Amino acid sequence: MEDNRVVNGKAREVGKKSGSVVKFIVIGIIVGILILDSFYTINEQEQAVLTTFGVAQAVTQSGLHFKIPLVQQVEKVNTTIKGIRVGYDANGNSVESESVMITSDYNFVNVDFYVEYRFSDPIKAVYASEEPEEILKNIAQSCIRRVIGQYSVDDVLTTGKAEIQANIKQEMINELESNDIGVTLVNITIQDSEPPTAEVMEAFKAVETAKQGKETTINNANKYANEKIPEAEAKVDQILKDAEAAKTQRVNEANAEVALFNAMYEEYIKNPEITKRRMYFETMENVLPGAKVIVTDDATGVSTVLPLDSFSNVTMDNSSKASDSTTAGLGSTGSSQTTQAQ
């Protein structure tokens, strides 16, 4: 009996010691957990929401931060730019319930969008809604359908894409500000737009090809016009310059003729007979160029040869011919003046 009591006493002592060790280990683990739970880290592209007894506080600075264990709770929010697909899935397959829309001219069109966004307010991102991304996608689909419905199918498939994107983006920004869920729209892009059937798609491709051909023709015509118009303008300038030069020349010639006529008229007023004779001689020189005109004056008997030759070229034969001509002239006409051309 005594041995059993000794054994039981030792067992109790061992049990007490073991219980103390276990308590110390549990306490150590709890303390370690509390210590580890007292610190948290925020990366550069993250923000956090620190909640103390239901009161939220945004933590925007990156690095190591302290919190009260079991009292304060931390929820991190990724602030990098993310994307949502509208109208197609991750494999690129079309989701017709999202992509098929109706245009203002009552045509169906298949349009895919890619929406880029980020969380701008971590508290609103956590507490303003349960699923902010789903709300964003619903807003995107609503704005997309509303804007697409204002354009014709031709604009959606061809020339109006940039304007449509801008209008959708502005409407989504307004809707997000109204809902205030802590999400900021970065950009929205039309990934693809096409008719819902292959036949219609081919028809629109033909239309697009025709439009491109039209633009090419217009560009070629403009190029030709840009080449030819300067040439034509240069020719016009040259013609105007030539006409102006001819005008100036004609005016100068007319002024010279007027001046000559006025000078001759003044001489004529002074000596009419002499002027008439001079004009007669000059006219005969012009009418018979290269011919010798012999003029004989009956009163003086002097013979004049027009144009006048130098004395070295006048021979005796010519003198005799002139004398004969003068005699013949006096005999035949009986006037005071005789003219012959040789």
Side-chain angles (χ1 to χ4, degrees):
M1 292 294 292
E2 291 180 357
D3 293 337
N4 291 332
R5 289 175 183 175
V6 172
V7 172
N8 291 333
K10 292 181 179 179
R12 288 190 188 124
E13 291 179 2
V14 172
K16 289 180 180 180
K17 291 181 180 179
S18 300
S20 300
V21 172
V22 171
K23 288 180 181 179
F24 281 117
I25 292 173
V26 171
I27 293 172
I29 293 173
I30 293 173
V31 171
I33 292 173
L34 292 176
I35 292 173
L36 292 176
D37 192 45
S38 299
F39 297 93
Y40 63 97
T41 304
I42 300 178
N43 297 327
E44 294 203 358
Q45 295 181 339
E46 289 181 337
Q47 292 183 4
V49 178
L50 181 64
T51 306
T52 306
F53 298 115
V55 179
Q57 177 185 357
V59 181
T60 59
Q61 293 183 350
S62 60
L64 184 65
H65 298 268
F66 173 81
K67 73 180 182 68
I68 301 174
L70 304 178
V71 176
Q72 294 180 319
Q73 302 296 325
V74 175
E75 188 166 354
K76 297 180 182 179
V77 177
N78 190 344
T79 58
T80 58
I81 296 176
K82 299 179 182 180
I84 295 177
R85 292 177 290 272
V86 179
Y88 66 103
D89 58 20
N91 297 322
N93 299 320
S94 178
V95 180
E96 293 187 357
S97 61
E98 298 177 358
S99 63
V100 177
M101 307 173 194
I102 188 169
T103 60
S104 62
D105 50 357
Y106 304 104
N107 285 298
F108 288 98
V109 65
N110 196 331
V111 189
D112 300 333
F113 288 86
Y114 187 74
V115 181
E116 295 177 285
Y117 71 97
R118 66 181 181 86
F119 291 108
S120 56
D121 190 328
I123 296 177
K124 292 178 181 178
V126 173
Y127 292 106
S129 62
E130 292 184 0
E131 297 180 352
E133 294 180 347
E134 190 66 24
I135 294 175
L136 174 63
K137 188 171 183 178
N138 292 334
I139 291 174
Q141 292 187 59
S142 175
C143 294
I144 288 169
R145 292 183 183 279
R146 185 161 58 248
V147 173
I148 292 293
Q150 299 173 1
Y151 288 85
S152 66
V153 65
D154 219 19
D155 293 332
V156 176
L157 297 178
T158 56
T159 58
K161 292 181 179 180
E163 183 177 346
I164 291 172
Q165 288 178 173
N167 291 340
I168 294 174
K169 182 177 181 180
Q170 187 58 50
E171 290 211 10
M172 288 188 63
I173 290 174
N174 296 336
E175 288 288 336
L176 288 172
E177 290 178 354
S178 176
N179 286 273
D180 197 17
I181 58 175
V183 177
T184 298
L185 178 67
V186 177
N187 196 19
I188 181 168
T189 309
I190 296 178
Q191 296 296 102
D192 191 17
S193 60
E194 59 186 13
T197 61
E199 293 79 5
V200 179
M201 189 184 303
E202 291 298 325
F204 274 104
K205 286 182 180 179
V207 171
E208 183 65 21
T209 301
K211 286 184 177 181
Q212 292 178 357
K214 174 185 174 183
E215 293 177 358
T216 302
T217 303
I218 292 174
N219 292 335
N220 291 335
N222 290 333
K223 179 182 177 182
Y224 180 79
N226 293 333
E227 292 176 353
K228 295 300 180 181
I229 288 177
E231 294 180 4
E233 291 176 348
K235 289 182 180 179
V236 169
D237 292 339
Q238 187 62 41
I239 292 172
L240 292 176
K241 290 179 181 179
D242 293 343
E244 191 66 27
K247 171 187 173 182
T248 303
Q249 182 180 357
R250 294 287 180 86
V251 171
N252 292 336
E253 291 177 355
N255 292 333
E257 291 179 358
V258 169
L260 178 61
F261 177 82
N262 291 333
M264 293 177 64
Y265 182 73
E266 291 177 0
E267 296 298 325
Y268 175 80
I269 295 300
K270 295 177 182 178
N271 299 293
E273 293 299 328
I274 295 176
T275 303
K276 287 180 180 179
R277 184 176 299 178
R278 176 183 172 185
M279 292 175 65
Y280 174 76
F281 292 161
E282 291 176 353
T283 302
M284 293 304 295
E285 284 183 297
N286 292 330
V287 171
L288 300 172
K292 292 184 179 181
V293 180
I294 302 173
V295 181
T296 303
D297 191 346
D298 293 340
T300 60
V302 177
S303 298
T304 303
V305 180
L306 300 176
L308 298 176
D309 293 332
S310 63
F311 289 107
S312 61
N313 294 331
V314 179
T315 61
M316 292 301 294
D317 293 335
N318 291 336
S319 298
S320 62
K321 289 181 181 180
S323 178
D324 294 340
S325 299
T326 302
T327 304
L330 290 173
S332 61
T333 61
S335 63
S336 62
Q337 187 173 348
T338 304
T339 301
Q340 293 183 356
Q342 294 182 350

